[in-house]
Every structure is written in structure tokens, then in C-alpha cells.
Amino acid sequence: MLLKRANVLSLQQLKDIDFKELWVDVKEAIGGTERDFTKSSLGKAIFILAIPMVLEMIMESVFAVVDIFFVSKLGADAVATVGLTESVMTIVYAIGIGLSVATTALVSRRIGEKNKKQAGVVAFQSMLVGFIFSVCIAIPGVLFAADFLKLMGATDTMAEEGYLFPAIMFGGNAVIMLLFIINAVFRSSGDAAISMRVMWLANIINIILDPLLIFGYGPFPEMGLTGAAVATTIGRGLAVLYQFYLLFSGHHRIRLYWHSLKVRFNVMLKLVKISGGGILQNLIATSSWIFLVRIIAVSGPEALAGYTIAIRIIIFALLPAWGLSNAASTLVGQNLGANQPERAERSVWITGYVNMIFMGLMGIILAVFPEFWIKLFIGETAVIDNGTLALRVISIGFLFYALGMVLMQGFNGSGDTITPSKINFVSFWLFEIPLAYFLAIVLNMGLFGASLSIVIAESFLAITALYLFRKGKWKQRKV
């Protein structure tokens, strides 16, 4: 069905491609554009939006890989501490992504309706809601950092030596929240190139500071695992300041006016209502991951460390595909705002096809050569063996991951965040977690069983999303 509905280039069409025009499009995508995506050629619209979104997500995936690359030099306990922290930090990501989903749905609709000032109002209210959430997370996160590590299965030594890592990550979660939300504002308005530049800035700072603060090169103190958290927080924090500068400069599709900086409870309520489904769908998915990590932790620190490294590599592959999915979300919102529902649907099918090609190739590379990638991060034989196993098994399901994420973003772009929430609940809580427990612990399959449960659950999710998306109820959604 996806092949039938997508615009697939024939061999003759490939020969007819004007590569000079292609290069012009690439420059437009990276440099920024004033193109109206509700009127432009759909293929070109996807191309111009997708390039900076994919590059942005590549840099977000670099965040995950760079930290674990340097932290892995500190040993398995340090890697496991990062894995445990990240498993709960996904709650922060879930809220940030949920608010980003609501922001994308509302801002893209207002842009499609040609109402830029109201889009700016939505943007500020979203940031305000995100900041309130971040404060509620920061306080207990700082106070109970060590207790949280023990609760998640860390040893007393890990909790004693590594508690500052989660304390700093939770304490500075506002920069993560705002980075996600404001980048969603730029993307949904059509300024995807700005989001890309912001993420590049954050990553360059993080890459520079990570080795300096972890290992104490030159005048910098040797902070070990704590240094990784400080570097990441500083990098993201400076990127957020840059975002605010761009929002107030007034030189882009969307800006903040002084009248935007007021509390609009009606807009906040609408955001919370829509983001509730977005937050819920991500909390369902990420909280299930917490339980999955807890199941894997039973197999020991080496299995947990191997799984953590494998997941970071998989995230590196998945995030560019997520960037492509974001292009579909923006186009769905803008085209529904312009009363073009069929064009909105067509953008999802085309994006889904392209995403499956990309993820299929990535899956083959990771499944065939898993040990090579794991060895880039750590040299401990037990961790390498576990990481290789997890990476090979999870990579098998990449085609389903690719299709599922585009369809879910299609729902989200329309403002229908409840349907993805229901799909996630059934796929992860009623299916993945019980299956992982049964395979990993009851049948004593350990990490292999847990990894297999991920593939099966994500495949089920994609098939369910495909069935519900084709029914088309999302086209009637009003926001």
C-alpha cells in the first residue's frame, strides 16, 4: 500500500533530475527559506523540510553517542549509571516531546492559516508550561538522586560515586525542555534550518567540554562522570539562550512580541489538553523502558552496560529518521490549516516510504556488523558480547520502526495525540513488558529475550498505526 501511494521515481525520472536545481534546493534547506509549504510541490516541500530536520536529529543523536563514548572510558559502572539515569530522564524527554507535539500542532495550524502573531502567542505559552513542568521535576530529582539510583538497581558504590550525574541532569532539565519546545516552534513554522543550527551549537559545545571536564585536561578540573552532566547542561543551556535571541530578533517566520509575553490561560489550557495526549504517549513508551531496563538489570552490570551502549547506537540511527518524521508532522499541520487534508495524507505516505528505505539500510549495517560498533565505545569482553547481542536483535525491526514513527507523527501533526497514546499503551504495557519479563526472566533468556520483545512490540505498533491511519478520522481534527 505504501509503495502504491508514494511517488516513486522511475529510472527515466532519475535521469531527468536537474542536479543544479537539486543543489539550489539543498542550499535553501540549510540556509533557511520563506517558501509556502502549503502551495509548493509536495516532494520539494518534504525535501527542503527534511534535510535540516534530519541534520538536527543527527546532532541530537551525537549527544547520546559522544557522552557514552567518553563515559565508557570510566568503566562499566559509569556506563550503567548513565543508563539508569537516562531511563528515568526519558520522563523529561517525554514531557518535552509531548509539549513539542502540541506546539507543532498549534503553531503549524496558525502558520497554515497565515496567523503569525497568534503562532507567537502559542510559542510563549508552550515555553511557560514547559518551564513549570521542569521545576516540578528538578526539585525531587536533585534531592533524591542517590535513592533513585538504588531504586533502579544500582549498587551502593554506584550510587555513592555517581549520584551527582542524575542530580545535575534532573536539576538542569529546564534546558532540555526548552530546547525541545523552542526547536519545535521553529520547525512547525517552517524554519527547520534554525532548529538545525541550534542543535549544532549545543553539540559543538558539548563535544569540546566533555573530554575537558571528564578527564581534566589543561586548566579544567577532573570531574569524571559529573563532568559529562555539566558539559551537556552547559551546551544545551547556551543553545537555549541563542534560541531566545532568535525569537526576539524578528528576522524569521515566527517571533515573540511583547504582547506575546502574557499568561494566556485559554491557550495554555489548549496546549495542556493536546500535549496531555503527547506527554501520555511518550510517558507510556518511556516508562515502559524504565521497567525494561529494570528487567535487564537482573542480568548484571555487564548486560546493562552492553544494552546501554547498543541503545545509544540505535538512537544514533533512529533520530535522523525521527527528523524525517517531523517533516511529515509539520506538513500535516500546515496543510490541514490550509484545508488540504488529502495533501496532508499524501505527505505521510511519501515520507513513510523514504523513511523505510533509510532505516532498512541502517538496520542491515547494524545487524551485520554489530560488534564493530560496540567496540568503538568499550573494550571489556563481557560488555562487548552483550552489546553485540542487543544491537543485532533490535536492528532487525528497523523497517517497522521507520513506518511506525511516521504514522504516529502524522496523527500528532493533526492534533490527534490520543490515538498514538492508545497504540503505545497496548504495544508497550500490555505487550512488550509482559513479554520481556516472560522471555528474559521466566524463560531465562536474559538480554536476548528483552531485546526480542522490543522488536515484536514495535512491529505490532506499526501495523496497528497503519490500520488506524488509513481510516482517516485524524483529518477531521480541529485545534
Side-chain angles (χ1 to χ4, degrees):
M1 172 56 102
L2 203 58
L3 289 171
K4 182 179 178 181
R5 304 188 68 159
N7 287 350
V8 184
L9 290 173
S10 66
L11 290 175
Q12 183 59 46
Q13 286 174 311
L14 284 172
K15 294 177 182 178
D16 294 339
I17 289 177
D18 186 338
F19 287 99
K20 288 185 179 179
E21 183 181 351
L22 183 65
W23 176 241
V24 170
D25 292 340
V26 170
K27 290 196 293 184
E28 180 182 350
I30 296 175
T33 178
E34 290 297 322
R35 183 183 294 270
D36 187 340
F37 293 110
T38 64
K39 296 178 180 178
S40 174
S41 160
L42 190 53
K44 187 165 289 191
I46 293 173
F47 183 79
I48 290 174
L49 278 174
I51 285 179
M53 289 184 181
V54 168
L55 290 175
E56 176 195 350
M57 290 297 104
I58 286 175
M59 293 313 295
E60 178 64 27
S61 63
V62 168
F63 251 122
V65 173
V66 166
D67 278 351
I68 207 66
F69 175 80
F70 289 115
V71 169
S72 63
K73 311 305 178 187
L74 302 176
D77 278 1
V79 174
T81 298
V82 172
L84 293 174
T85 301
E86 286 294 318
S87 69
V88 180
M89 276 297 293
T90 50
I91 294 176
V92 176
Y93 302 143
I95 296 173
I97 293 171
L99 286 169
S100 297
V101 166
T103 303
T104 297
L106 289 176
V107 170
S108 61
R109 285 289 183 107
R110 302 296 85 85
I111 293 295
E113 295 164 357
K114 309 298 187 282
N115 191 346
K116 291 187 177 181
K117 285 193 174 182
Q118 189 60 29
V121 171
V122 171
F124 178 72
Q125 305 308 308
S126 183
M127 292 176 228
L128 193 58
V129 173
F131 183 76
I132 293 171
F133 271 115
S134 69
V135 172
C136 295
I137 293 170
I139 295 173
V142 171
L143 294 177
F144 303 107
D147 296 323
F148 138 76
L149 285 176
K150 292 180 181 179
L151 180 66
M152 287 300 296
T155 63
D156 290 339
T157 302
M158 288 169 60
E160 183 180 344
E161 295 179 355
Y163 76 94
L164 280 177
F165 183 84
I168 294 170
M169 294 298 292
F170 285 124
N173 82 91
V175 297
I176 299 173
M177 200 81 71
L178 292 174
L179 188 67
F180 281 15
I181 292 170
I182 301 175
N183 264 2
V185 169
F186 287 124
R187 281 196 305 269
S188 55
S189 71
D191 276 329
I194 294 177
S195 299
M196 175 194 69
R197 290 196 290 270
V198 167
M199 194 57 66
W200 277 71
L201 173 65
N203 270 278
I204 290 171
I205 295 171
N206 182 56
I207 290 170
I208 293 172
L209 290 180
D210 248 347
L212 296 177
L213 295 178
I214 292 174
F215 305 115
Y217 294 136
F220 294 89
E222 183 179 350
M223 302 175 70
L225 185 58
T226 302
V230 173
T232 298
T233 302
I234 291 175
R236 284 174 167 153
L238 291 176
V240 169
L241 292 178
Y242 178 53
Q243 286 176 320
F244 276 110
Y245 165 76
L246 293 173
L247 282 172
F248 280 103
S249 67
H251 301 307
H252 306 285
R253 289 174 185 257
I254 192 167
R255 65 170 293 183
L256 292 182
Y257 300 88
W258 287 111
H259 83 277
S260 304
L261 309 184
K262 298 178 182 177
V263 177
R264 309 290 178 92
F265 287 108
N266 61 323
V267 179
M268 290 178 71
L269 186 62
K270 184 178 289 188
L271 275 164
V272 171
K273 185 177 180 181
I274 297 175
S275 67
I279 293 171
L280 183 62
Q281 66 181 268
N282 285 284
L283 279 177
I284 290 169
T286 54
S287 60
S288 70
W289 189 47
I290 294 173
F291 277 81
L292 190 64
V293 168
R294 190 67 183 88
I295 291 171
I296 294 170
V298 174
S299 299
E302 290 80 11
L304 182 57
Y307 172 77
T308 298
I309 293 173
I311 285 295
R312 289 301 181 97
I313 295 169
I314 288 168
I315 289 173
F316 186 83
L318 286 179
L319 282 177
W322 187 260
L324 191 58
S325 303
N326 283 337
S329 180
T330 295
L331 286 171
V332 166
Q334 289 196 11
N335 283 291
L336 287 179
N339 294 314
Q340 300 183 79
E342 297 309 314
R343 179 181 166 91
E345 180 180 4
R346 193 158 156 257
S347 68
V348 174
W349 294 124
I350 295 174
T351 307
Y353 176 76
V354 174
N355 211 28
M356 289 176 73
I357 294 175
F358 170 74
M359 288 301 297
L361 293 173
M362 292 300 298
I364 292 172
I365 292 171
L366 295 180
V368 174
F369 307 106
E371 186 175 353
F372 170 80
W373 304 104
I374 300 296
K375 283 184 175 180
L376 292 177
F377 295 87
I378 200 163
E380 296 182 30
T381 303
V383 177
I384 291 173
D385 291 342
N386 281 283
T388 298
L389 172 65
L391 187 56
R392 175 174 284 126
V393 174
I394 297 172
S395 298
I396 294 172
F398 270 27
L399 276 178
F400 287 99
Y401 308 160
L403 176 59
M405 67 174 65
V406 172
L407 293 172
M408 298 287 264
Q409 283 297 83
F411 285 120
N412 287 329
S414 73
D416 179 8
T417 56
I418 298 301
T419 297
S421 298
K422 293 177 180 178
I423 295 173
N424 277 353
F425 178 74
V426 174
S427 299
F428 297 130
W429 278 101
L430 300 186
F431 199 56
E432 183 182 70
I433 295 302
L435 181 62
Y437 182 85
F438 178 73
L439 294 177
I441 296 179
V442 176
L443 296 185
N444 199 30
M445 295 171 68
L447 181 57
F448 173 75
S451 300
L452 188 61
S453 72
I454 294 174
V455 177
I456 297 172
E458 290 283 358
S459 302
F460 175 80
L461 180 149
I463 294 169
T464 305
L466 177 62
Y467 169 75
L468 294 176
F469 187 83
R470 288 181 59 192
K471 294 182 72 173
K473 291 183 179 180
W474 55 273
K475 297 178 187 177
Q476 284 77 49
R477 187 79 179 184
K478 302 296 181 183
V479 297

